[in-house]
Amino acid sequence: MSTAKARTAHAKAILGPELHSQLANTNVLLVGAGGIGCELLKNIVLTGFGRITLLDLDTIDLSNLNRQFLFKKKDVKQSKALVAAQTAAHFNPNVRITPIHDNIKEPQYDVQWYQQFDIVLNALDNLDARRHVNKMCMAAQIPLVESGTAGYLGQVQPLLKDTTECFDCIPKPTPKTFPVCTIRSTPSQPIHCIVWSKSYLMGQLFGEDEDATGELDDAEKHGENAQEIDTLRKEVQAFKTVRTALRSSNHNEDAAKLVFQKVFNSDIKNLLSMADMWKSRSPPIPLGYDSILNGNFQCKQTNGAAPTGPLNAIASGSGDASSSSSRATTNGHTNGVAAGPALKDQRTLSLKDNLELFISSTNRLATRLRNGEEVITFDKDDDDTLDFVTASSNLRSYAYGIDGKTRWEVKEMAGNIIPAIATTNAIISGLIVLQALQMLKKAYTKLRNVHIQLKPSVPLSAIRLSAPNPECGICRDTYAPLLCDPSRTLLGDVVKGVLGDDEREVSVYEDKRVLSDPDWEDNFERTLESINVTRGKFLTIVDEEGEWSTISLAVGTLPPNHDADEAYILPSPLPRPTKKHKPAPPPLETPQKKGTKRPLPVELEDGVIDLAPTPKKPKFHSAASGKRKFEDGPSPSKRRRLEEDGLVLMDGPNEVLDEGVGAAGPNGVPMEAEVIVIDDD
């Protein structure tokens, strides 16, 4: 047997000749070349998928090599997509792999682009990108296999519009957030300091947000301390001078020192001026720049706080800064012994170490700004930003008497890293291929949501697919293409053209931006480009009455052979929204239980009080069947009590009392029964 035939013999025998031949012409989009992506690329190449497009934005990091086996140490800092494609191409020369080093959310990857693929396989590690790919696949009506792992756990979910629920049919838990004042003024845990450094300080110094007043306004509306909010507003305004220094190449003063003095000295002193804030908690300690570098920094008593340890002490977790003196370290050593392993990321940093790291990372980031980089955001794989967040969060932790963290721990917490396990990735990637094959065979009844569980008896859980959620705002929309030149297309022309003779009232959105509503149509005379509705975005037309589904127009480019005079091409046929599912009406209120008390007597005009007759209560009585039923007669228990008292209850005036019936006398001789006739009339 030839090498080419031997290569595909097993796959052909397992899949069958028909499906196996179909794979050679199948066009697959694989999004992500990380832990799952590398395993999955290897699997689909060996299975025989003929045309594969691999897209990933990331570059290879040293920490990837323990589980992403398509990469080697020499590949570090190179594109994951390019290296993975080069490595996997040798596994099967009959497969054509097209690598793309880019962000899947870029506008050129629009609905038209997705429609060239037969199936999409997701191997992503963040929620935002997953939701984006899900929406694009729903709009393009392309099958999608979603996946993810978390340690030993994992899941595979096949998704198909109008057949299964989509990724957004079930709301996802939102990431944990912290109150603004806790992060900005009163941290008590290491994660508070890390979030402050990553999300707030990085943005203020190197990002777009220069004032951040909107977040403070929201915090004040939610009832957070008004005086504290006012102090934080003053801090925000003072950042403008610091931002200018970081971006100015002519600034003579050390920019890192200017940042330090503002953040770790002046701002802390401003907070200490609010004495009421520190009545029930330990106050922070202003740090000294020169004294820390010179080795003679001593934490002075501040606002009643006990004196703390010497220069090189690291913060303790007790919340009391004074206890840090028992853990004195010098240059990463504790009590004269090396603080940890040789790996620099796992070495404990002293106060001086953190300050030196803060200075070097701040200057590196400032150099990047001066070289033309407009905005710098945190990236766990960016050494400059990771060093800055590590140093600044540890300095803040020291000031507040909180445990410091190693560089590796900060990377894990700031990057929301969940340990990845190679075997979990391998299992999940195999399950993705199995579900993809069922999709291609259109065997939709055999599709399953598969979960890896921590249950030895049932390690794999396969669940039948659920129907789409009628309330889903993604897969229940009516999608249609809008091919146009945004610079010449007016919003009003599109909306009126799509609605046609339909005169119902609608609002128009782009994502969460309101572009028009029934009472405000000012944007109807503006071009799509002028309101930032361009390629890759969705123009949504929402029924104001909520009776019809939303129309989502996927904005794309005009075809090459279009008429030059045409600014846009409406979808043909025009989209017809479906009747929206209406939830069942809420149950009627339970009628109030009528009381059994008699109503108050009513006094008539002649002074006579009209008393309503007391209604007879239904009684329980034993029937022949042994069950109790309602009757007007006395209950068995009442009859028994009367007989014990020497009375016999007759059913009527004509009933004859049997001889000997009656109560027993003192000697056991029956006494003569006394008969009392009560006339109800």
Side-chain angles (χ1 to χ4, degrees), residues 77-397:
K77 300 301 180 184
Q78 296 188 50
S79 165
K80 285 186 175 182
L82 296 176
V83 175
Q86 292 169 1
T87 305
H90 298 294
F91 300 164
N92 190 344
N94 300 322
V95 175
R96 187 184 70 192
I97 306 175
T98 304
I100 302 175
H101 179 69
D102 207 352
N103 189 339
I104 190 63
K105 296 178 66 177
E106 288 296 317
Q108 63 266 30
Y109 308 120
D110 56 9
V111 172
Q112 290 172 284
W113 183 80
Y114 273 83
Q115 287 175 336
Q116 67 180 299
F117 301 104
D118 298 303
I119 191 169
V120 178
L121 308 179
N122 256 3
L124 291 163
D125 61 356
N126 70 88
L127 183 63
D128 188 50
R130 284 173 170 169
R131 297 186 66 180
H132 175 79
V133 175
N134 172 70
K135 182 171 184 176
M136 300 303 286
C137 288
M138 293 300 111
Q141 297 198 12
I142 302 298
L144 168 66
V145 183
E146 171 61 46
S147 65
T149 63
Y152 291 102
L153 305 177
Q155 82 282 342
V156 174
Q157 183 181 16
L159 309 171
L160 184 62
K161 191 175 188 314
D162 299 330
T163 302
T164 74
E165 63 184 4
C166 77
F167 186 74
D168 280 301
C169 278
I170 300 176
K172 303 298 182 288
T174 55
K176 184 178 180 181
T177 58
F178 302 95
V180 170
C181 289
T182 298
I183 296 299
R184 305 277 183 90
S185 306
T186 55
S188 59
Q189 302 173 28
I191 187 62
H192 295 160
C193 298
I194 292 171
V195 170
W196 168 84
S197 179
K198 166 192 168 184
S199 302
Y200 172 67
L201 189 60
M202 277 286 302
Q204 290 295 304
L205 297 177
F206 310 108
E208 295 178 344
D209 190 7
E210 296 191 21
D211 50 29
T213 55
E215 189 178 11
L216 295 176
D217 292 340
D218 291 340
E220 191 169 21
K221 290 177 183 177
H222 285 84
E224 297 195 39
N225 190 304
Q227 183 185 4
E228 191 175 348
I229 295 290
D230 186 57
T231 303
L232 293 174
R233 283 199 178 97
K234 295 176 182 177
E235 288 182 13
V236 167
Q237 293 301 318
F239 267 110
K240 292 184 178 180
T241 304
V242 180
R243 286 175 61 89
T244 303
L246 290 171
R247 288 160 174 76
S248 174
S249 56
N250 299 324
H251 202 279
N252 295 325
E253 189 177 356
D254 184 4
K257 182 176 182 179
L258 191 65
V259 174
F260 181 94
Q261 292 287 66
K262 183 210 178 301
V263 174
F264 300 109
N265 191 280
S266 300
D267 287 352
I268 292 178
K269 288 179 179 178
N270 288 336
L271 288 174
L272 291 174
S273 65
M274 294 186 290
D276 292 343
M277 186 185 296
W278 312 110
K279 287 181 178 179
S280 59
R281 58 167 65 96
S282 298
I285 304 162
L287 303 181
Y289 184 89
D290 294 324
S291 57
I292 293 175
L293 290 179
N294 296 335
N296 56 10
F297 175 72
Q298 293 290 331
C299 298
K300 299 178 181 180
Q301 184 171 349
T302 306
N303 209 29
T308 60
L311 158 68
N312 290 313
I314 60 174
S316 73
S318 64
D320 183 2
S322 64
S323 62
S324 62
S325 60
S326 63
R327 298 178 60 187
T329 65
T330 304
N331 295 326
H333 289 68
T334 307
N335 298 328
V337 182
L343 293 175
K344 70 169 187 176
D345 283 5
Q346 299 182 19
R347 185 171 66 91
T348 302
L349 300 174
S350 68
L351 180 59
K352 185 176 180 181
D353 292 335
N354 279 303
L355 178 53
E356 290 173 345
L357 184 62
F358 177 82
I359 295 170
S360 66
S361 60
T362 303
N363 288 333
R364 276 180 273 149
L365 293 170
T367 301
R368 287 167 57 175
L369 290 175
R370 292 164 187 168
N371 289 339
E373 197 168 342
E374 295 183 1
V375 174
I376 303 175
T377 56
F378 174 77
D379 184 343
K380 67 181 186 300
D381 295 319
D382 183 333
D383 287 339
D384 295 343
T385 60
L386 179 59
D387 286 343
F388 178 83
V389 170
T390 300
S392 56
S393 62
N394 279 340
L395 289 171
R396 186 171 176 83
S397 293

